[in-house]
Amino acid sequence: MAKQVLFLDVDGVLLDWFTPFLQHVTDKRSPHAPIKSIGSYGFHKHPVYKGDESEFYHDIETFVNTKAWATLSILGRNSFYSLSYLRNMGIDLHCLTQTTASASIRMKRVENLTRAFGPTFNSINFTSHGEKKSSVVLNIMKEQYADDAECYMVEDDPDKMDDMLEHGIPCFGIKHDYNVEYQGEDNSVQWLQDVTELPLIFAHSKY
């Protein structure tokens, strides 16, 4: 049987980034009217940004350099056990997260992931904005695995999923309010509530 390799995004897949991000935006832009939702895919369309997409990305930049981002809570009540089960099945697990955070904040994130999931991951990888995640996945597969190894990506960002699919990398999508409009567009993405569904999929399906 070919080696199976699972790449996991962090924010929105393993850790809950959205709740503290909404608080971050509220604190900066709407302290007297808490923002409880940004809606479907397209955060920058929220009225708080008044049509200025650059302001949304500015909020992302400032958020990922905060302690809140570095110490996010686990998404999915039994995620730790699910990932441990996957490892016991012989599946390699690699974290892959895109950020502009400082070196010290990145180190705190590594510590947070290690504290939350233990020695579960084969690697924790950071990519810069503008760098395609697919290129990192393909490089790791080329350098560390045999040609017949199979890789998969778990994501919550539709743009990142499109990038993976364009390069022949199968995707699992984690459902959120902010990607609901995308969920029915592409049948090649298998949508999940959270990563706790993965062990059953890999144990009882074509994967």
Side-chain angles (χ1 to χ4, degrees), residues 90-205:
I91 299 172
D92 282 3
L93 305 175
H94 296 268
C95 280
L96 186 57
T97 184
Q98 192 171 59
T99 181
T100 57
S102 65
S104 61
I105 293 292
R106 290 187 185 199
M107 184 60 67
K108 289 180 181 178
R109 159 141 290 193
V110 171
E111 292 172 355
N112 188 36
L113 284 166
T114 303
R115 183 168 55 251
F117 295 101
T120 300
F121 305 110
N122 294 75
S123 68
I124 298 174
N125 306 274
F126 292 92
T127 63
S128 60
H129 287 293
E131 181 181 7
K132 289 188 177 295
K133 283 187 175 181
S134 60
S135 64
V136 179
V137 170
L138 294 174
N139 284 338
I140 290 176
M141 293 303 298
K142 181 179 179 180
E143 294 174 0
Q144 300 184 27
Y145 297 97
D147 291 343
D148 65 344
E150 302 170 353
C151 69
Y152 309 88
M153 184 73 203
V154 188
E155 258 291 351
D156 68 318
D157 185 333
D159 289 339
K160 305 298 188 303
M161 294 179 208
D162 286 342
D163 171 42
M164 294 295 168
L165 294 171
E166 287 174 5
H167 290 84
I169 302 167
C171 284
F172 297 98
I174 302 299
K175 294 179 180 180
H176 292 285
D177 290 345
Y178 53 78
N179 59 30
V180 67
E181 290 182 359
Y182 183 86
Q183 291 174 21
E185 291 183 3
D186 197 331
N187 292 330
S188 58
V189 174
Q190 184 168 349
W191 289 94
L192 314 174
Q193 292 298 327
D194 55 48
V195 298
T196 61
E197 297 181 44
L198 287 168
L200 189 61
I201 290 173
F202 276 89
H204 296 96
S205 74

Side-chain angles (χ1 to χ4, degrees), residues 6-138:
L6 193 60
F7 291 86
L8 301 110
D9 179 43
V10 176
D11 301 301
V13 172
L14 297 176
L15 301 178
D16 175 19
W17 76 279
F18 198 53
T19 302
F21 176 68
L22 290 181
Q23 185 60 53
H24 178 74
V25 176
T26 293
D27 292 344
K28 287 189 63 179
R29 301 183 181 275
S30 185
H32 303 297
I35 299 171
K36 299 185 181 299
S37 174
I38 285 189
S40 59
Y41 188 63
F43 307 102
H44 59 278
K45 297 177 182 178
H46 191 280
V48 74
Y49 294 114
K50 301 177 181 179
D52 189 346
E53 188 172 348
S54 66
E55 288 297 303
F56 162 70
Y57 288 108
H58 176 72
D59 282 353
I60 289 288
E61 295 282 339
T62 56
F63 176 64
V64 299
N65 279 290
T66 64
K67 182 180 179 181
W69 179 83
T71 57
L72 300 179
S73 58
I74 293 177
L75 190 63
R77 184 176 179 181
N78 294 310
S79 295
F80 168 78
Y81 300 104
S82 298
L83 295 187
S84 296
Y85 190 86
L86 291 169
R87 281 299 298 268
N88 290 336
M89 291 173 63
I91 299 172
D92 282 3
L93 305 175
H94 296 268
C95 280
L96 186 57
T97 184
Q98 192 171 59
T99 181
T100 57
S102 65
S104 61
I105 293 292
R106 290 187 185 199
M107 184 60 67
K108 289 180 181 178
R109 159 141 290 193
V110 171
E111 292 172 355
N112 188 36
L113 284 166
T114 303
R115 183 168 55 251
F117 295 101
T120 300
F121 305 110
N122 294 75
S123 68
I124 298 174
N125 306 274
F126 292 92
T127 63
S128 60
H129 287 293
E131 181 181 7
K132 289 188 177 295
K133 283 187 175 181
S134 60
S135 64
V136 179
V137 170
L138 294 174

